[in-house]
Amino acid sequence: MNITKDSLGAFLFLVFSLAYGFYAWQIVPLPIEARDAVTSSTLPKIYAGLGALFSLLALVLSFTEAKSEAKGAGFSRRAMGRTAALLGLMLLYALAMEPLGFIVATLAFLLAGYWVMGERRIKVLLLASVPVVVLFWLVMTRLLGIYLVSGSLWS
């Protein structure tokens, strides 16, 4: 059995999704949410289910592709460096959320993440980041009524 970086990545994402799903099922709905169809645990459960589904599909596809290709892709220094940089960005994102707020911290994280992944076109960077952040913020705050931190630097 040949383990490629795709199958390893899919497996790690599957483990992450299952652990996330486990904790999503531990969220206790607030008493005011008892009659609501959408509670504070609904979105995390959906994310966990979709993550597990897609990672299973990616895992199956990686094994079928590995059988059709004789060679396996190895880990390169560049890929490991990008992975380390993305992990560092995630840590900075978590630390920047409180002082900068959701919108600015998420926008900076996405722009830096796309930059680390190799995208250099400014137009693509902005079009792939700004609408996602604004739409996600609107859905979470206006549609679902979930509070997202606005940032302590601005107040």
Side-chain angles (χ1 to χ4, degrees):
M1 179 194 236
N2 189 14
I3 297 176
T4 63
K5 65 180 179 181
D6 293 336
S7 60
L8 181 62
F11 177 74
L12 290 175
F13 195 73
L14 176 64
V15 170
F16 172 78
S17 296
L18 292 176
Y20 186 75
F22 174 77
Y23 285 111
W25 250 266
Q26 305 299 317
I27 297 172
V28 178
L30 296 172
I32 60 171
E33 298 175 334
R35 303 182 127 205
D36 293 342
V38 177
T39 64
S40 56
S41 66
T42 303
L43 203 55
K45 288 176 184 175
I46 291 172
Y47 287 155
L50 289 176
L53 176 70
F54 287 124
S55 60
L56 272 175
L57 289 174
L59 192 61
V60 169
L61 286 176
S62 69
F63 282 128
T64 57
E65 288 177 0
K67 286 182 180 178
S68 65
E69 296 178 8
K71 62 175 185 172
F75 292 102
S76 67
R77 281 185 176 259
R78 185 177 182 163
M80 296 298 283
R82 283 183 176 172
T83 304
L86 285 175
L87 289 173
L89 280 175
M90 287 182 206
L91 180 64
L92 288 175
Y93 175 64
L95 294 173
M97 182 68 81
E98 183 66 31
L100 296 179
F102 173 80
I103 292 177
V104 175
T106 305
L107 189 60
F109 171 73
L110 286 179
L111 288 171
Y114 291 142
W115 184 271
V116 166
M117 295 303 292
E119 182 57 55
R120 299 290 188 260
R121 295 171 291 178
I122 298 297
K123 192 176 188 179
V124 172
L125 286 171
L126 292 175
L127 286 176
S129 302
V130 174
V132 170
V133 171
V134 171
L135 184 66
F136 189 78
W137 180 81
L138 285 173
V139 168
M140 296 301 279
T141 59
R142 303 293 182 215
L143 189 66
L144 298 176
I146 297 173
Y147 171 75
L148 293 176
V149 65
S150 58
S152 59
L153 284 179
W154 321 116
S155 57

